[in-house]
Amino acid sequence: MTALLKPAIDHVVIHVGPELDAAAERYSRLGFQLTERGHHTMGSSNNLGDLRHRLSGAAGL
């Protein structure tokens, strides 16, 4: 028998383009506690915010 996978959302990404600093500032003012800026090998960066143990990310390229 094949097990069925239950669909789930792991995390949400909000693309903010080159406005990552401004987006992080806005999310901080809204009360989100963000991680320090992360940088990826493919050139993107992000900050993460915990939403009741779920991650949301604002990403800039």
Side-chain angles (χ1 to χ4, degrees):
M1 177 186 292
T2 302
L4 296 176
L5 297 177
K6 181 179 176 184
I9 295 175
D10 178 58
H11 64 282
V12 175
V13 175
I14 301 167
H15 182 259
V16 297
E19 303 299 322
L20 189 52
D21 290 331
E25 172 73 24
R26 277 187 223 118
Y27 278 95
S28 292
R29 283 196 315 257
L30 289 169
F32 290 88
Q33 293 189 359
L34 302 177
T35 62
E36 291 191 27
R37 178 78 38 92
H39 301 282
H40 307 119
T41 58
M42 305 261 320
S44 62
S45 300
N46 71 344
N47 294 89
L48 300 176
D50 190 355
L51 303 171
R52 295 185 186 196
H53 311 293
R54 305 280 188 218
L55 293 178
S56 170
L61 299 176

